Amino acid sequence: MSYAETEMKIIRQVEATRGVDGDIEFDLEAIDDYMESLRWFSDQESPDKMAKMIGWIGLSLISICATLDVNFVDCLDIAYEEGEGNQEVFEEDQDS
């Protein structure tokens, strides 16, 4: 299944269960929990467990975007563009 198909399934589920004026607090709390789990994973943990946690974080982020009527890919593009600018500043600092 493609990313776009998966994203649409998540968005449809959010719209069906929460509507556009839903509460994102659940997703924010879930992301905190998933991030805490990732922090505690050691190198001995299975890649499947890591993938599952990362997947749950992604699902939560897409759910928040659907609730707020924001496109997740647009958010990634903005962050990437800002990150590139930050990298240039970092490289200039290293040259000094």
Side-chain angles (χ1 to χ4, degrees):
M1 183 175 323
S2 74
Y3 169 80
E5 291 170 324
T6 302
E7 182 183 36
M8 282 310 302
K9 283 172 62 174
I10 296 166
I11 290 169
R12 284 189 197 112
Q13 180 182 7
V14 168
E15 289 173 346
T17 58
R18 239 189 281 188
V20 231
D21 298 326
D23 181 17
I24 63 168
E25 205 54 42
F26 172 79
D27 292 306
L28 294 173
E29 290 172 15
I31 289 172
D32 281 342
D33 291 343
Y34 304 142
M35 292 300 293
E36 191 62 29
S37 296
L38 282 174
R39 284 186 196 96
W40 288 102
F41 278 147
S42 68
D43 293 334
Q44 275 71 40
E45 289 294 342
S46 85
D48 289 342
K49 283 186 180 180
M50 296 289 285
K52 185 178 181 179
M53 286 294 110
I54 292 168
W56 281 109
I57 291 168
L59 190 145
S60 296
L61 290 171
I62 292 169
S63 295
I64 290 169
C65 288
T67 302
L68 299 175
D69 196 25
V70 174
N71 183 295
F72 183 63
V73 175
D74 291 344
C75 295
L76 292 174
D77 285 339
I78 291 166
Y80 179 79
E81 292 299 322
E82 286 182 8
E84 278 191 324
N86 291 337
Q87 183 63 29
E88 290 169 10
V89 170
F90 175 74
E91 289 169 359
E92 288 172 10
D93 287 345
Q94 294 295 319
D95 293 338
S96 303

